[in-house]
Amino acid sequence: MKKDAEEDDTNIWRWLADVLERLGADGMSSDESGMEEEIEIIYHTKVMPWRRDLKTELRIIDNQRLVDTDIFAPRGLKPVKRRRGIGNPQSSRKAVTSLPWAFYDEEWLERQPPKFHAQIPTEKFKWYSIYGYSHPCTI
């Protein structure tokens, strides 16, 4: 839809879709639900120590799902508020192997054995830094 509307952020959305596709289900953290103020369900995402910090990128996607409910498929978790942070519990999922270097936390990667490094493809993956979006609809 963004491409058809010729919006300026089409390339960023294409890149975000590529990031999610590469991570797959195993590369995404699971959630623990909690109640705040007895009316609102909030998911506290588990920390994946091996994965690069994706708070900003995932927040953009979550916010867009809340705004554009008519264009997002109703599959998967309903769009609800998520709290991400280092204080959340750690995920027990193992690191996804064979992702480009840019997907891994640099400090975690330094502690891994050469056997793990050998599984990482030499493919270059450009990582964008997305900052300064002031409205859930824009990047």
Side-chain angles (χ1 to χ4, degrees), residues 24-108:
D26 291 335
M28 301 302 292
S29 63
S30 55
D31 300 315
E32 288 186 357
S33 62
M35 296 291 281
E36 284 194 13
E37 300 175 18
E38 300 182 344
I39 15 175
E40 186 175 29
I41 295 176
I42 297 178
Y43 290 113
H44 297 268
T45 61
K46 292 185 178 178
V47 176
M48 299 183 86
W50 61 269
R51 192 183 70 191
R52 175 191 197 109
D53 181 9
L54 297 173
K55 273 190 292 204
T56 301
E57 293 82 0
L58 295 175
R59 188 177 306 124
I60 291 168
I61 295 166
D62 287 346
N63 286 345
Q64 195 71 32
R65 285 189 69 188
L66 290 169
V67 171
D68 290 331
T69 56
D70 57 328
I71 64 171
F72 281 89
R75 299 183 326 225
L77 289 174
K78 60 185 175 192
V80 296
K81 191 182 282 186
R82 287 182 171 78
R83 292 266 162 83
R84 296 178 173 89
I86 57 173
N88 289 357
Q90 280 200 2
S91 174
S92 59
R93 289 187 183 172
K94 294 184 185 221
V96 174
T97 57
S98 71
L99 290 171
W101 288 90
F103 284 77
Y104 299 99
D105 178 81
E106 288 181 27
E107 291 177 18
W108 179 88

